[in-house]
Amino acid sequence: MESPEQRRERRRAEKRQAIRLAAVRLALDEGLDAVTVEAVSAAADISPRTFFNYFASKEEALVMEPIWRPDDIVAMLADRPADEPAFRSLKAVARELAVRVRPIWDTMQPFMELSNRHPELAARARAADQTQIMETVLGAVRARPGVTGGIHARMLLITTFGAMISAIQESAATDKPVEELLDEAFALLERGL
Amino acid sequence: MESPEQRRERRRAEKRQAIRLAAVRLALDEGLDAVTVEAVSAAADISPRTFFNYFASKEEALVMEPIWRPDDIVAMLADRPADEPAFRSLKAVARELAVRVRPIWDTMQPFMELSNRHPELAARARAADQTQIMETVLGAVRARPGVTGGIHARMLLITTFGAMISAIQESAATDKPVEELLDEAFALLERGL
DNA sequence: GCAAGTCTTGCAGAGTGTGCAAATTCTGCG
DNA sequence: CGCAGAATTTGCACACTCTGCAAGACTTGC
């Protein structure tokens, strides 16, 4: 069964996604300039004011929901065996996150297409997430065994995300499976590029 | 001597910097919310309209001029010996870019302070640059010897910038010299983290 | 079928950013 | 100096994003 709260949550998420799709379709069909809040709202059959009940900004509606959230990552790291070296833990976490991508790969396509045409979009949206992750997770990485210094922790994090982003982009460009590419990327990091 | 054009260029750059400083000072003194184009213009003694002759957006005035520009990087890469492996070339380029930072380190401080208080700022501003660099430079990296595949090129680029960003941030946090930290970072990349 | 809560909407207002044309300032040069 | 031509600054009108607030519409459980 479904509690009333879950029900509301789900509905809200569905509507959010519907608005997103309307926005992205509009952007792909008519160009980014055609995407005004007014136009999106009309397409999604809501009032402009309501749009902002679902998204804090217009941009937010044009990119997909982030697959990595700081708390998630901290939690996933905490779940790894305490004596596991940092690099190994991060690799495991990255793999787990990559797996999450698979079931939504198809729905991601329009967003990827849009990101290809307007690379600033996804980058800008991701930027906020990334710094937040850096700040939140850096402490957790430092606490892991096998971290030799301040810059080591930073490099571990930044390269982990570099690997994920590279894998996703390369996968979109070549159609190779993400996980395979992610393994390649981590192999490079492990033995040195 | 100085040609008239150079003169104009220089003046323009000076004014740009003056506006920047006014904006950042305002942000540090009164908080980010106090930074409206109107307030910045008043502080810099120009009209709001003129502000937009110097910056395409308010945000642009709150972060420092990027030290890396795509064309620069491509040119620097082209200057490296043709048979030098990609990793080595990128390391050399990164070092050269890091050296550029030294003479302006002091003027960077207010911006760093602001970036610490509002991490989204610098990240968002950098985002556009970074994707542009990716797109522009990726081809040049692929053409270098020692690049084994699509994901290798991507990882080389992304980790190079990761190293530079890590080094700068860590340097700001610990006061160690940037170049030393950059070397540490590249050592990690070279032998594997 | 009603009462309480939730969601949607309109409206007013502050702020960003742009095109255009007038006003101002700068430049070299006679 | 003083002036013609060029570059810069500015005001103005306008389209657009985003927010707070309060009223209206709609759900929901009972």
Side-chain angles (χ1 to χ4, degrees):
Chain A
M1 276 305 293
E2 202 184 33
S3 82
E5 286 159 19
Q6 286 176 321
R7 180 192 171 79
R8 274 197 288 112
E9 274 301 310
R10 184 175 50 76
R11 285 218 183 173
R12 186 175 170 78
E14 280 168 8
K15 196 151 186 177
R16 216 176 128 89
Q17 193 62 12
I19 300 172
R20 270 219 170 85
L21 287 178
V24 173
R25 183 183 307 269
L26 190 61
L28 289 175
D29 290 352
E30 316 266 322
L32 202 48
D33 289 349
V35 181
T36 64
V37 171
E38 200 184 349
V40 173
S41 309
D45 206 35
I46 55 175
S47 81
R49 185 61 186 85
T50 302
F51 177 91
F52 289 107
N53 289 348
Y54 284 87
F55 299 96
S57 76
K58 188 180 73 168
E59 268 191 357
E60 197 182 330
L62 287 171
V63 296
M64 48 196 155
E65 205 80 43
I67 13 168
W68 41 55
R69 278 188 312 282
D71 320 336
D72 277 4
I73 297 178
V74 170
M76 287 161 90
L77 268 181
D79 275 355
R80 306 295 311 171
D83 59 342
E84 187 183 53
F87 181 78
R88 225 163 260 290
S89 307
L90 285 169
K91 182 174 167 179
V93 170
R95 270 176 151 282
E96 215 174 316
L97 290 173
V99 170
R100 272 196 210 169
V101 165
R102 225 180 337 173
I104 58 165
W105 189 256
D106 286 351
T107 61
M108 277 173 62
Q109 283 321 122
F111 296 92
M112 300 282 277
E113 171 65 22
L114 189 60
S115 292
N116 283 340
R117 290 197 211 166
H118 304 278
E120 339 78 68
L121 259 190
R124 278 174 66 92
R126 216 173 22 223
D129 295 345
Q130 276 186 19
T131 55
Q132 212 196 334
I133 288 174
M134 272 289 162
E135 299 200 315
T136 315
V137 186
L138 200 57
V141 173
R142 284 215 168 94
R144 288 250 143 210
V147 180
T148 59
I151 199 128
H152 190 193
R154 280 208 159 84
M155 289 299 289
L156 280 169
L157 256 181
I158 231 171
T159 52
T160 298
F161 284 97
M164 295 193 62
I165 291 166
S166 298
I168 290 177
Q169 285 179 349
E170 187 73 9
S171 173
T174 64
D175 260 327
K176 288 192 206 167
V178 195
E179 285 148 282
E180 190 182 305
L181 291 165
L182 191 67
D183 285 348
E184 264 186 64
F186 270 99
L188 286 168
L189 289 177
E190 185 150 22
R191 87 170 65 103
L193 2 141
Chain B
M1 276 304 293
E2 201 183 33
S3 83
E5 286 159 17
Q6 286 174 321
R7 181 194 170 79
R8 275 197 285 112
E9 275 299 311
R10 184 176 48 76
R11 286 220 187 173
R12 187 176 169 76
E14 281 168 7
K15 196 149 185 179
R16 218 176 126 88
Q17 193 62 11
I19 301 172
R20 271 218 171 84
L21 287 177
V24 173
R25 182 184 306 271
L26 190 60
L28 289 175
D29 290 353
E30 316 266 320
L32 203 49
D33 290 349
V35 181
T36 65
V37 171
E38 201 184 349
V40 173
S41 309
D45 205 35
I46 55 175
S47 82
R49 185 61 185 83
T50 302
F51 177 91
F52 289 108
N53 290 348
Y54 284 87
F55 299 95
S57 76
K58 189 181 70 170
E59 267 190 357
E60 197 181 331
L62 287 171
V63 296
M64 49 195 154
E65 205 79 42
I67 13 168
W68 40 56
R69 277 189 311 283
D71 319 337
D72 277 5
I73 297 178
V74 170
M76 287 161 90
L77 269 181
D79 275 355
R80 305 295 311 172
D83 59 341
E84 188 182 52
F87 182 79
R88 225 163 259 288
S89 307
L90 285 169
K91 181 174 166 179
V93 169
R95 269 178 150 280
E96 217 174 312
L97 290 173
V99 169
R100 271 195 211 170
V101 164
R102 224 181 336 173
I104 57 165
W105 189 256
D106 286 350
T107 60
M108 278 173 61
Q109 284 321 122
F111 296 93
M112 300 283 275
E113 170 66 22
L114 189 60
S115 291
N116 284 340
R117 290 199 212 162
H118 303 278
E120 339 77 68
L121 259 191
R124 278 175 66 92
R126 222 176 12 229
D129 295 344
Q130 276 187 18
T131 55
Q132 212 196 334
I133 288 175
M134 272 290 163
E135 299 201 313
T136 315
V137 186
L138 201 57
V141 173
R142 283 214 169 94
R144 289 249 144 212
V147 179
T148 59
I151 199 130
H152 190 192
R154 280 208 158 85
M155 289 300 288
L156 280 168
L157 257 181
I158 232 170
T159 52
T160 298
F161 284 96
M164 295 195 60
I165 290 166
S166 298
I168 290 177
Q169 285 179 350
E170 186 74 8
S171 174
T174 63
D175 260 325
K176 287 192 205 166
V178 195
E179 284 147 285
E180 190 181 304
L181 291 164
L182 191 66
D183 285 347
E184 265 186 64
F186 270 98
L188 286 169
L189 289 178
E190 186 150 22
R191 88 170 64 102
L193 351 143

